[in-house]
Amino acid sequence: MWIAAVGARVSIWLLERFGAAPTLLLASAMQVGLILSMGLVLHPLVAAMITLRSLPPGIAGPVISATAQPRLSGDQRATFFSLMSLIGRSLLAGVVALISLSFTSEDPTWPELSRVLLIAGAASALFVLGLLFSSRALSRDRAPDPPAR
């Protein structure tokens, strides 16, 4: 829990320094890095790295809130965040179901677990790369904000 709190503290600095899209992409890339490291190496150091899994959500949560809340009225805010939670949990359930279909036994071996983690990590990395390129394209197409007075 304290690791997520550290992430939340750092997220405000990252948001102010780099903006919302790069900060969220960094948090996503950190998750992908954890998935790939679990698939590549069977080592106690990876188990220690798993304790950092709450850091990316700790970074992303405040950035999403700070970005979305000013754009939503009070009655829309709860609906928006509830829908975000529902969509996230539904996607997680779907991904976990797909991953479970790829196991061939009830007691998976390390090579089988490694293969599944590497496939999931590679798919996640491709998704994050797609987000990176689409966020760059969107930022080029968006009109600049008017200067502050």
Side-chain angles (χ1 to χ4, degrees):
M1 199 69 160
W2 64 271
I3 294 174
V6 170
R9 176 108 173 143
V10 170
S11 71
I12 303 304
W13 179 82
L14 290 170
L15 177 62
E16 291 172 351
R17 177 122 169 119
F18 301 108
T23 302
L24 293 172
L25 286 168
L26 172 67
S28 298
M30 291 170 70
Q31 287 284 45
V32 171
L34 285 172
I35 294 168
L36 289 173
S37 65
M38 287 188 299
L40 288 171
V41 182
L42 180 62
H43 193 274
L45 184 60
V46 175
M49 286 177 58
I50 293 173
T51 62
L52 298 176
R53 68 180 166 74
S54 63
L55 186 62
I59 291 172
V63 173
I64 292 169
S65 293
T67 305
Q69 284 187 3
R71 295 182 168 105
L72 300 170
S73 66
D75 56 337
Q76 292 176 330
R77 211 172 281 145
T79 303
F80 174 78
F81 287 112
S82 293
L83 283 174
M84 290 285 293
S85 178
L86 175 66
I87 291 168
R89 291 173 192 269
S90 298
L91 286 172
L92 175 64
V95 167
V96 169
L98 283 173
I99 288 174
S100 71
L101 293 174
S102 65
F103 287 106
T104 57
S105 67
E106 288 184 23
D107 190 23
T109 61
W110 163 246
E112 188 177 23
L113 183 60
S114 174
R115 177 185 52 83
V116 169
L117 286 168
L118 289 173
I119 290 169
S124 300
L126 289 174
F127 183 74
V128 170
L129 284 174
L131 289 175
L132 173 66
F133 291 121
S134 66
S135 71
R136 286 188 177 178
L138 286 174
S139 65
R140 279 195 308 266
D141 294 341
R142 187 176 307 144
D145 292 332
R149 294 181 188 194

